[in-house]
Amino acid sequence: MALIPASLRTRLVVGVFSFFAMWGFALSITRYSIPEEMEEGSFVANLATDLGLDIRSLEERKAKLDVIHSKNYLDINKDTGELVIREKIDRESICMTKTTSCFLKMDVILSSPVRIFNIELEIMDINDNAPVFRRKTMHLDISEATLPGERFSLTNAVDADVGANSIKTYYLSESKYFNIDIQTGSDGSKYVDLVLSGNLDREEHAVHDLILTAVDGGVPPRSGTASIIINVLDINDNAPIFSQPVYAVNVSENSAAGTVVMTLNATDLDEGTNAQLVYSHTLYTSEKTQELFSLDPNSGEIKVKGVIDYEESQSFEMHIQAQDRGTNPLSGHCKVTVFVTDLNDNYPEVTIKSLKSSLTEDVSVGTLIAVVSVSDRDSGANGEVELSLNRQETLPFLLSKSSEGYFEMLVSKPLDREVISKYDIILRVTDKGVPPLSENETITLEILDINDNAPTFSQSFYTIHVMENNPPGALLTSLSAFDPDLNENQYLVYFIMEKEIVNTSMSMLFSINPENGDLYALKTFDYERERDFLFHIEARDSGVPPLSTNCTVHIIILDQNDNTPLIVSPWRAQGSVVEEVIPRSTDKGHLVAKVIAIDADSEQNARVTYQLLQISDSTLFSLDQYNGEIRTTRMFSYRDPRQQRLVIVAKDNGQPSLSATVTIKISTVEHAMAFSETTELPLDYDMFTDLNLYLVIGLGAVSFLLLITILVIIVLKCQKPKPKAIKIPPANRNSVISRNSVISQRSSTIADSTLISSDAYWYSLFLAETRKGKVVVRQPIIPKGAGYFVSSIPRSIGPSETTDSRASTLEVCRNIGWVW
C-alpha cells in the first residue's frame, strides 16, 4: 500500500464503499404478476410509488431497467414512474418447461448515488395455444378376425399451455365398431386408447376413417384433430365361385397348337393370397383329354395342345376346380364340354422336282427354270388344286402344265440384272374346299451379271477453274463415273486421252488417279502464258470385252495479281531520275510529261491508276489518275524554285495492289538550248531578272519564228525516199512538225525488247508528248537490231550552237535517211 499513490488509494476506498452500499440496496425484491400477450404500452405497476422514489429523481438519476437473461420486454416511463409493456410477452417462449410458475427477473438501477432494486415479474398463462397431435394421420391394420374389446394405442395430443388451459379430454367421431378410453398420467396429462367394440368384416367394410379430437380446459376451449385410418385385414373366409357350373364350347378340328378354346373365370371375395386362384383338372378328366388340351393354372385359359381330329372324337369333357392360396384353401368346381367342328383339314402340297437357282441376264425367252408337282390328300372338291405365281408383282415367268399334277416354270420376258438382281418367286397351291386351303413355296432365283452397261459420268462436260500459281500436285477435282454392273464389270479405270498442246502432252500437265478419278495439276500455271486447256478423260470398266465412256474437261486458269506495273514512259535507267526541262513562261494546263505503265495481268489486276506520292509544290502540278498526264495548274512565278521534284506511283487494282514508282525532276529555264547529239547538258542561265523579262520574251518570239523556218527547210530536204526508210503517214508528220518536238529522255520511251518490238517502239516514240523547257539534243538508246536514229531540231537554239547543230542534223539526214 505504501507504493500506491494517495489519490489512487482514495478512489479504491470510495469504490469498495460504493459496492457494499449497492449490495445492501439490492437486497429487497419487488414482485408483480401479469398475463402473457399484453399489448404494447400496457400498464404493469407504478415503480416510483412502489419503490418510494420521487418521479423527478428517475430522470435526474438516470433510471434504467436491466433484464437478466432475457429480452427487454418492459420499459420505465420516466415522466409518470410507471412500468409499461415494451413488447408482447409470450410465456411459452420464455418458460419452455411445463411448469406452472414463470418469472422474468430484472433490475432497476439508479445513479448518483447508485442504487439497485430487484424486480420479479410473474408471467401468467392464458389459453393462447390449441392442442396439436404429433401425427396428423394415424394408420392402423386390424384383422377382421380380431375380437371385440381389443385395445390399440393412439398418439396423444400436446398443448403448450399449462394448468387448466392444457388438454382436458378427447372425442371420437361416430362409429359402431370403435370407441375410445381416456386415461390420466401421474403428471395430469391425458392419454387415449382405441377400443374395438364390434365384429369386423373386410368384405363389407374394408377401410374405416375416424376423426379424433383433443379439447383443452381454457375459456373458451381450443381443440385439435387427427385422422385415424383403419385397414381391415382379410382372412380366408370365402370360397371361389364360377360364373356357371357347366360350360359348352366349339373348336375346329386341326386347330393349331396354342389356339385358345375358352378362358374360365372364377371369383373370390377375399383379397391378397386368399383371392389368388389356381385352376387344375380333377380326377374325373381323362388323360387323353389332358394331352389334347392345356389349362393355364393362373389365368384359367384352355388351349389346344395336341392334334384334334374330328374323325377320332367329336367331343371332350373336362372337370376343373379353382382353389385359392389361403392358409386353409377353399375351392369351387365346374364342367367344360368341348365340341369338335369338322373342316377341310388337309392342305395341298407343292414339290419342286427340278430347279435352276441362277441364270445369266442374257438367257433367251422360254428357258426352263423349274419342274413343280402339286397334290392334296383330301378327296372331291377338297382335293382339286390350282397352282399360281405371286400375283402381287409382274414377273417375267410363266407356268405351263406339262401333265396331270406337273407344271413347268419358263422365262417369259428378257431379264435385266440392273433392274432386278434377285427374284423371290412364290408358288401358291390352293384347293377348292370351303373354305379353301392353300400352301406356298418360295423359289429364290439369282440373276447373274454380264458386262452390258458402259460407265457413265454424272455430266459430259466439266468446267474447272484453277487459280494461277497453283502448287504442283494440287487436287483440281474428282471425276467419278458409275457402272451399274457387278464385280469386275463395275471396276473402273480412269485415264487422260492423249493430246498435245505446243508439243506438250496433256499427261505432262495433268494427272488422274486411275482408281478414283482424282484430277491433279502437275505444274504451276501462269495466266499470262496459258489461259485454258481442253481435253478428254476416259473411264473404262474391267469387263470382257471392256466398255468405256469419256467426258470433256475444260480447265480455265484464273488470273492472280502477280505482276507489278511496268513504267515504260518516261523511260529511264534502273533507279535513275527522269529530268524534264520546261520554260518558266509555260501557261496553265501545259502538258509537262505523261507517265505510261503497263501490267501483264488482266481485268482489274491490269487496271493502272496514277497518284502523286511526293511533290515539291502541290499547287503547281496536277496528275490525271487515269492517263498519267502531268500538267501545270498555274503559271510559274519568280518566287517558284527553278527545280521541282515529283514522285509518281503507278498502282494496279488487284487485291492486294502492286505498284511501281518513277521520279521526275523538272527544271525551268528562260530559254531552251541545244547540245551535241551524244550529250545531255542543261543550259542554266541565271542572268534573267525582272528588268529584262520583257526583252527575253521578245527574243524568244523571234527565235521561235526562225526555228519554224529552219525546221520546214530541213524537212523538205529530207523527203527523198530511201530503200530502207520507214514512211510515216503525213498526218503524223504534220503533227510532229506542228508540235516542234524535242526528243528527250521522256519522249524516248523504250520498253524491254522482249515485250515491245522495234516498230512499236518508234510508234510509241512519235506519240509521246513533247517536252518544253530544258533543251537537250541526244541520241536515244535504240533497242538492239532496230537500226534507226532519230533526232529533232530544238525549238530555240543559242547563237554559238546554231551552225553546228544544223550541220549535224543535215549530216544525219543525208547518211541514214530521215525517219518520219
Side-chain angles (χ1 to χ4, degrees):
M1 291 294 290
L3 299 176
I4 300 175
S7 61
L8 183 56
R9 286 198 301 270
T10 304
R11 286 197 295 270
L12 288 174
V13 172
V14 173
V16 172
F17 177 77
S18 301
F19 173 76
F20 283 107
M22 288 187 294
W23 180 264
F25 294 151
L27 290 177
S28 58
I29 298 175
T30 305
R31 291 185 174 85
Y32 298 101
S33 296
I34 62 171
E36 62 175 330
E37 303 293 339
M38 291 182 65
E39 296 294 332
E40 297 179 6
S42 299
F43 173 80
V44 177
N46 194 317
L47 283 181
T49 303
D50 295 342
L51 300 179
L53 299 175
D54 188 4
I55 294 176
R56 288 174 298 176
S57 66
L58 295 177
E59 182 68 32
E60 294 173 355
R61 298 179 66 180
K62 300 179 181 180
K64 66 178 181 177
L65 189 65
D66 185 18
V67 180
I68 301 174
H69 305 304
S70 183
K71 290 173 60 177
N72 195 359
Y73 291 99
L74 297 96
D75 200 1
I76 300 175
N77 189 336
K78 296 179 182 180
D79 295 331
T80 62
E82 295 176 347
L83 183 64
V84 296
I85 299 297
R86 180 180 181 182
E87 185 179 344
K88 278 188 177 183
I89 301 174
D90 185 7
R91 180 185 182 281
E92 286 73 29
S93 62
I94 297 175
C95 301
M96 297 183 182
T97 59
K98 296 283 290 185
T99 57
T100 55
S101 300
C102 180
F103 292 93
L104 185 64
K105 296 182 179 182
M106 63 192 76
D107 294 333
V108 177
I109 303 174
L110 302 176
S111 61
S112 301
V114 176
R115 189 171 181 184
I116 299 175
F117 296 95
N118 299 118
I119 297 176
E120 288 185 355
L121 183 64
E122 182 181 9
I123 310 301
M124 295 182 295
D125 183 46
I126 64 174
N127 191 24
D128 57 344
N129 293 283
V132 177
F133 284 91
R134 293 187 179 91
R135 292 169 57 186
K136 288 294 184 181
T137 303
M138 291 175 276
H139 293 273
L140 295 177
D141 294 331
I142 303 175
S143 173
E144 62 178 331
T146 304
L147 298 177
E150 188 73 22
R151 304 172 68 90
F152 304 93
S153 297
L154 301 177
T155 302
N156 62 308
V158 294
D159 195 326
D161 296 326
V162 296
N165 296 326
S166 62
I167 295 175
K168 181 178 181 181
T169 186
Y170 291 90
Y171 298 101
L172 183 67
S173 59
E174 183 179 355
S175 174
K176 66 178 181 178
Y177 298 99
F178 299 96
N179 55 39
I180 57 174
D181 181 23
I182 303 173
Q183 300 181 13
T184 304
S186 58
D187 57 352
S189 58
K190 304 292 185 179
Y191 301 94
V192 61
D193 288 338
L194 183 66
V195 181
L196 179 62
S197 59
N199 293 317
L200 299 176
D201 188 354
R202 191 205 63 80
E203 288 73 29
E204 180 183 346
H205 204 163
V207 178
H208 298 266
D209 291 328
L210 305 177
I211 301 297
L212 181 63
T213 305
V215 182
D216 62 20
V219 179
R222 292 177 177 268
S223 62
T225 61
S227 176
I228 302 174
I229 299 176
I230 301 171
N231 295 317
V232 180
L233 302 181
D234 181 52
I235 62 173
N236 193 20
D237 55 348
N238 294 280
I241 300 174
F242 284 95
S243 57
Q244 58 190 70
V246 177
Y247 297 89
V249 62
N250 296 323
V251 63
S252 301
E253 67 169 332
N254 295 326
S255 295
T259 301
V260 177
V261 178
M262 68 171 301
T263 301
L264 296 173
N265 183 23
T267 58
D268 193 319
L269 298 178
D270 295 326
E271 67 174 1
T273 58
N274 297 327
Q276 294 178 3
L277 304 181
V278 177
Y279 298 89
S280 62
H281 292 284
T282 66
L283 298 175
Y284 300 108
T285 303
S286 66
E287 293 183 0
K288 183 179 180 180
T289 303
Q290 295 184 35
E291 291 174 357
L292 295 177
F293 299 94
S294 65
L295 175 63
D296 190 304
N298 296 318
S299 64
E301 190 176 58
I302 301 175
K303 296 181 179 179
V304 174
K305 185 169 67 170
V307 178
I308 302 175
D309 191 354
Y310 176 82
E311 288 70 26
E312 291 184 6
S313 180
Q314 290 76 39
S315 65
F316 300 91
E317 278 191 1
M318 289 178 280
H319 298 268
I320 298 172
Q321 71 171 1
Q323 188 177 51
D324 62 29
R325 297 177 183 269
T327 305
N328 297 312
L330 302 176
S331 62
H333 300 81
C334 73
K335 183 177 75 173
V336 177
T337 302
V338 179
F339 296 97
V340 179
T341 303
D342 186 26
L343 296 176
N344 181 24
D345 57 347
N346 289 293
Y347 286 82
E349 296 180 354
V350 56
T351 304
I352 308 298
K353 297 297 183 179
S354 176
L355 174 66
K356 291 182 179 179
S357 60
S358 61
L359 292 175
T360 57
E361 59 179 325
D362 60 342
V363 297
S364 60
V365 175
T367 300
L368 177 65
I369 301 173
V371 176
V372 182
S373 68
V374 294
S375 62
D376 194 321
R377 290 182 301 170
D378 292 329
S379 60
N382 294 332
E384 296 178 6
V385 296
E386 292 180 351
L387 181 64
S388 61
L389 296 177
N390 186 10
R391 300 297 184 184
Q392 295 180 356
E393 56 181 329
T394 302
L395 299 176
F397 312 107
L398 59 85
L399 290 171
S400 175
K401 189 173 183 179
S402 60
S403 62
E404 186 64 31
Y406 284 88
F407 294 85
E408 291 181 349
M409 188 168 68
L410 307 175
V411 176
S412 62
K413 296 179 182 178
L415 304 179
D416 189 351
R417 190 209 61 82
E418 285 70 36
V419 177
I420 300 177
S421 61
K422 186 176 69 171
Y423 291 93
D424 290 327
I425 306 170
I426 300 176
L427 298 174
R428 185 180 182 88
V429 57
T430 306
D431 63 20
K432 296 183 178 180
V434 179
L437 299 178
S438 63
E439 187 68 30
N440 296 334
E441 182 69 24
T442 301
I443 298 176
T444 299
L445 180 63
E446 184 178 358
I447 308 302
L448 303 180
D449 183 51
I450 63 170
N451 192 23
D452 58 343
N453 291 280
T456 56
F457 286 94
S458 59
Q459 55 193 77
S460 61
F461 191 90
Y462 293 86
T463 300
I464 304 171
H465 296 86
V466 180
M467 187 68 68
E468 67 171 331
N469 301 320
N470 59 291
L475 176 64
L476 303 183
T477 188
S478 181
L479 303 174
S480 61
F482 172 73
D483 193 322
D485 293 326
L486 286 180
N487 303 326
E488 66 276 359
N489 298 329
Q490 187 185 37
Y491 299 149
L492 302 182
V493 178
Y494 302 87
F495 57 91
I496 299 174
M497 301 178 67
E498 285 298 331
K499 178 183 178 183
E500 289 190 357
I501 298 180
V502 193
N503 298 325
T504 302
S505 174
M506 276 297 164
S507 60
M508 302 294 292
L509 301 177
F510 303 97
S511 172
I512 190 167
N513 189 320
E515 295 181 356
N516 57 23
D518 289 345
L519 184 63
Y520 299 90
L522 296 182
K523 61 166 285 186
T524 300
F525 298 111
D526 187 356
Y527 175 82
E528 286 70 37
R529 295 189 178 184
E530 52 251 341
R531 301 294 175 89
D532 63 346
F533 302 94
L534 190 68
F535 55 92
H536 301 285
I537 290 179
E538 181 174 310
R540 181 181 300 167
D541 62 27
S542 302
V544 179
L547 301 177
S548 63
T549 188
N550 62 71
C551 68
T552 303
V553 178
H554 187 200
I555 304 293
I556 299 177
I557 309 301
L558 301 179
D559 182 42
Q560 198 175 46
N561 192 22
D562 57 345
N563 290 282
T564 304
L566 176 65
I567 298 177
V568 298
S569 176
W571 181 90
R572 84 282 190 209
Q574 183 67 25
S576 62
V577 178
V578 177
E579 295 189 2
E580 301 285 347
V581 178
I582 61 174
R584 293 185 66 84
S585 60
T586 299
D587 294 334
K588 174 183 177 182
H590 175 74
L591 178 63
V592 178
K594 183 172 182 178
V595 179
I596 301 176
I598 61 175
D599 195 314
D601 294 321
S602 66
E603 298 181 355
Q604 292 298 321
N605 296 330
R607 182 183 176 188
V608 180
T609 57
Y610 306 90
Q611 295 179 0
L612 282 168
L613 190 62
Q614 295 181 11
I615 185 171
S616 301
D617 188 350
S618 60
T619 65
L620 192 54
F621 301 100
S622 65
L623 173 65
D624 192 301
Q625 64 173 339
Y626 299 109
N627 60 24
E629 292 182 351
I630 303 174
R631 295 182 181 272
T632 58
T633 57
R634 62 177 175 81
M635 295 186 63
F636 287 92
S637 67
Y638 68 92
R639 296 184 179 87
D640 294 324
R642 294 186 179 276
Q643 293 185 346
Q644 301 286 336
R645 183 174 181 272
L646 284 72
V647 179
I648 289 81
V649 58
K651 182 167 59 175
D652 60 28
N653 201 32
Q655 292 295 332
S657 62
L658 303 177
S659 61
T661 60
V662 60
T663 303
I664 300 177
K665 179 180 177 183
I666 301 176
S667 301
T668 60
V669 296
E670 300 296 338
H671 295 281
M673 303 299 293
F675 289 88
S676 64
E677 298 172 356
T678 58
T679 59
E680 177 179 338
L681 295 174
L683 298 179
D684 296 331
Y685 295 96
D686 297 332
M687 66 285 228
F688 298 104
T689 63
D690 295 337
L691 298 177
N692 55 13
L693 177 60
Y694 296 105
L695 179 61
V696 172
I697 294 174
L699 291 175
V702 175
S703 300
F704 178 77
L705 294 176
L706 180 61
L707 176 63
I708 293 297
T709 304
I710 295 171
L711 183 61
V712 171
I713 294 172
I714 292 173
V715 170
L716 294 176
K717 294 284 186 180
C718 295
Q719 286 297 317
K720 297 177 180 180
K722 297 294 179 178
K724 297 182 179 180
I726 299 176
K727 299 298 183 178
I728 305 301
N732 291 345
R733 180 172 70 250
N734 294 336
S735 174
V736 174
I737 294 173
S738 63
R739 286 171 176 263
N740 194 19
S741 304
V742 177
I743 305 302
S744 64
Q745 288 177 331
R746 176 185 57 78
S747 61
S748 301
T749 305
I750 302 174
D752 190 280
S753 61
T754 61
L755 299 177
I756 304 177
S757 66
S758 300
D759 293 341
Y761 162 70
W762 289 111
Y763 182 71
S764 175
L765 178 65
F766 283 108
L767 291 182
E769 296 293 341
T770 55
R771 174 180 67 176
K772 302 174 183 179
K774 178 186 292 186
V775 180
V776 177
V777 179
R778 60 172 292 183
Q779 176 179 346
I781 301 175
I782 305 300
K784 185 177 180 180
Y788 299 116
F789 180 81
V790 180
S791 181
S792 63
I793 299 176
R795 182 177 180 181
S796 61
I797 57 175
S800 59
E801 290 81 2
T802 303
T803 303
D804 297 337
S805 176
R806 184 179 304 167
S808 174
T809 304
L810 295 175
E811 181 72 15
V812 172
C813 292
R814 286 194 298 270
N815 291 338
I816 64 174
W818 194 265
V819 182
W820 288 103

